[in-house]
Each structure stands twice: as C-alpha cells, then as structure tokens.
Amino acid sequence: MNENVRILCVDDEKNVLKALNRLFMDEEYEVLLANSGEEGLETLAVEESVQVIISDYRMPGMNGVDFLKQVFERWPDTVRIVLSGYADTAAVVAAINEGQIYKFIPKPWNDDELKVTIAKAVEVYFLRKRNIELTRELSDHNEELKRLNENLEELVEERTGELLFQNKVLERGQKILDALPVGVLGLDTQGMIVQCNARAHYFFQGEGAVVPGMDATEILPPAFLELIDTISDTMVSRTIQVAGRELVVKGAGLVVDDSREGVVLVLDEK
C-alpha cells in the first residue's frame, strides 16, 4: 500500500476532534479535521484523496446524514463512518441508507475498537479500489480480446478467400494440363512425382499408376531415370519405349527464383 492514507474527522465539538486526532497520532494516517459538514466538503474538494471519513451525526446546519449523502454522490469510493451519542434507530437507518455508511459507532467510543474499525475501513477501501482496477483491467482485456477475435475473423476470412482462389487456380491449372495433347510429368529435386496429367497417365497405364507423391524410381522405367539424370540447364530429348509405345520425351530443369526446384518432362507419341 503505497498510497498515503488520509482520514477526515467531522464534528462540531472541538474536544471530539482533538480526541480523534490524539487517538491516531501513533498511526500512519494523515488526520484532517473539519468543524462542520460544509467545511468537510470544502476539505474534500481540495485534498488529493481521502480514504475514510468519520462524521458526527447531529451537527448544526448540515447534519451527518446530509453531509455523507453528498460525500457518497461526489466521492463514492470513500469509506464512511458515523459517530453519534443518540440512540435514534430511525436516524441510524436513514444514515445507512442515504449515506451508504460502512459502520455506525456510538459515543463514547472505545479507543481500541475504533482503531480496529478504522484499520478495517482502510483495508476495505483498498480492497474495493483493487477490485475496481481488476474489473477495469478485465474489461480492457476483454475489449482487446474482442478486437483480436474480430481481426482474427477478418484474417481467417481473408485467408480462406485466398485459399479458395488458389484452389480454383490449381483446379483450372490441372484441367488445362489434362486437356493438353501431350503428357506432362513434374518431379521435385528429391525425385518425387509432384504432377502428372491425364495424357501421362494414359501413356503409363500399362506400367502402373503414376500418382503424385510417389518416388520416381518406384514407377518410372529405367530409361526415364537415365534421362532425368542427364537433365541440367538445357532441354534434352530422347525416344523411349513405354508400354509398347514409342514416346518422344523432352525434359528440362524447373528453375524458380534462380533456384533449381525439379524437372519437367513432356511426353508425346512419335
């Protein structure tokens, strides 16, 4: 608790104020004194913060209930305590309801009990303050999460749109490849088949299915593998027998951003 604790004592009897001031001399509180409700409001208006207010109930002019009611309206975070020498039940109820009183203490008071009450009141003040701070932080975090979720939804929607567009491009690209009158095979640098159009499937149907993801060494005839090994930066061409057909196979390296990414083979009947 780094905040300096201020206690405002309001009573029209100077002896009571002196007694309260002496009572808290050994405590780490800053005690402020006011002789009336009006003076108490003036003090609150100029002080940085007052955590606890102890007010007499019956005072000339503005009584304790009216004073604390205004305090509650203008400084609701303060903890408000009433001192009274009158056993008036109706007044106690009015004070509690209108001024939102934390505790009602009769005069004369017990010093030790009053000290304990004030210590608890200070604790209540800081607990309430911390609760307000946590609630505000939670609200801020919730707002931030809401914004993040909204941004995430926008990003997901945008990314989904991009993926759908890319899928359409890939589908149309595959349809274009399948419509070509020549076979097309694509291999990556590890020798895995990554592309095979319908015409290439037709040429290899007597050799077995050519499926993207397969290792070329497991499905392609040795003559194809030898051709692939000879491909460098320039296109090479060779006639190869496949499933009883004589095919002209042309191959070239696939270069993307000046980097070798694989091999492309084009197959056509001679």
Side-chain angles (χ1 to χ4, degrees), residues 227 230-238 249-253 264 266:
L227 174 64
T230 65
I231 294 173
S232 57
D233 296 334
T234 58
M235 184 180 70
V236 296
S237 178
R238 187 173 299 176
V249 182
K250 296 180 179 180
V264 176
V266 177

Side-chain angles (χ1 to χ4, degrees), residues 10 35 44 46 56 61 67 89 118 152 174 178-179 186 193 237 245:
V10 182
N35 291 311
L44 290 169
V46 298
D56 186 26
F67 166 63
T89 303
I118 297 304
L152 181 59
Q174 185 62 49
D178 288 340
I193 297 173
S237 178
R245 294 186 180 89

Side-chain angles (χ1 to χ4, degrees), residues 127-144:
L127 286 174
R128 288 176 180 172
K129 182 178 180 181
R130 182 56 180 158
N131 185 56
I132 292 172
E133 291 173 352
L134 290 173
T135 301
R136 187 180 297 114
E137 290 175 7
L138 180 60
S139 176
D140 292 342
H141 288 324
N142 287 338
E143 285 297 320
E144 181 65 20

Side-chain angles (χ1 to χ4, degrees), residues 185 187 203-204 216 219-231 238 240-242 247-250 265-267:
L185 279 178
L187 295 85
F203 288 146
F204 283 100
I219 187 64
L220 297 182
F224 270 84
L225 301 177
E226 292 174 5
L227 174 64
I228 292 170
D229 289 338
T230 65
I231 294 173
R238 187 173 299 176
I240 299 175
Q241 292 285 337
V242 178
L247 301 180
V248 176
V249 182
K250 296 180 179 180
L265 301 177
V266 177
L267 300 71

Side-chain angles (χ1 to χ4, degrees), residues 29-255:
Y29 304 142
E30 180 180 346
V31 180
L32 307 173
L33 305 176
N35 291 311
S36 65
E38 291 85 357
E39 186 178 339
L41 293 176
E42 292 173 2
T43 300
L44 290 169
V46 298
E47 288 297 328
E48 182 178 350
S49 64
V50 173
Q51 289 80 10
V52 180
I53 298 175
I54 305 172
S55 174
D56 186 26
Y57 167 63
R58 292 198 177 184
M59 295 183 292
M62 181 184 294
N63 63 33
V65 172
D66 292 336
F67 166 63
L68 292 175
K69 182 179 179 181
Q70 290 196 41
V71 170
F72 172 66
E73 293 172 352
R74 297 170 63 181
W75 299 279
D77 295 336
T78 59
V79 180
R80 295 164 293 280
I81 296 173
V82 167
L83 290 176
S84 179
Y86 301 90
D88 188 338
T89 303
V92 172
V93 172
I96 292 174
N97 291 339
E98 296 184 37
Q100 296 294 305
I101 307 304
Y102 168 69
K103 198 151 188 179
F104 197 98
I105 298 177
K107 293 180 180 178
W109 63 81
N110 178 284
D111 286 351
D112 292 334
E113 290 180 1
L114 182 55
K115 284 185 177 182
V116 170
T117 298
I118 297 304
K120 289 183 178 179
V122 171
E123 184 179 354
V124 166
Y125 172 86
F126 285 106
L127 286 174
R128 288 176 180 172
K129 182 178 180 181
R130 182 56 180 158
N131 185 56
I132 292 172
E133 291 173 352
L134 290 173
T135 301
R136 187 180 297 114
E137 290 175 7
L138 180 60
S139 176
D140 292 342
H141 288 324
N142 287 338
E143 285 297 320
E144 181 65 20
L145 285 174
K146 182 179 179 182
R147 287 193 293 271
L148 288 173
N149 285 333
E150 290 173 352
N151 292 337
L152 181 59
E153 289 176 2
E154 291 177 4
L155 289 173
V156 169
E157 185 176 348
E158 180 180 341
R159 183 58 179 157
T160 300
E162 292 176 357
L163 291 174
L164 290 173
F165 175 76
Q166 291 174 5
N167 285 338
K168 289 181 179 178
V169 170
L170 290 173
E171 288 175 4
R172 291 185 180 181
Q174 185 62 49
K175 288 180 180 179
I176 292 173
L177 285 174
D178 288 340
L180 292 175
V182 296
V184 177
L185 279 178
L187 295 85
D188 66 10
T189 55
Q190 304 301 316
M192 182 177 72
I193 297 173
V194 295
Q195 182 59 266
C196 182
N197 72 344
R199 189 65 173 168
H201 277 295
Y202 169 75
F203 288 146
F204 283 100
Q205 61 185 353
E207 298 289 333
V210 178
V211 180
M214 295 181 65
D215 190 329
T217 60
E218 297 177 357
I219 187 64
L220 297 182
F224 270 84
L225 301 177
E226 292 174 5
L227 174 64
I228 292 170
D229 289 338
T230 65
I231 294 173
S232 57
D233 296 334
T234 58
M235 184 180 70
V236 296
S237 178
R238 187 173 299 176
T239 300
I240 299 175
Q241 292 285 337
V242 178
R245 294 186 180 89
E246 193 173 16
L247 301 180
V248 176
V249 182
K250 296 180 179 180
L254 177 62
V255 179

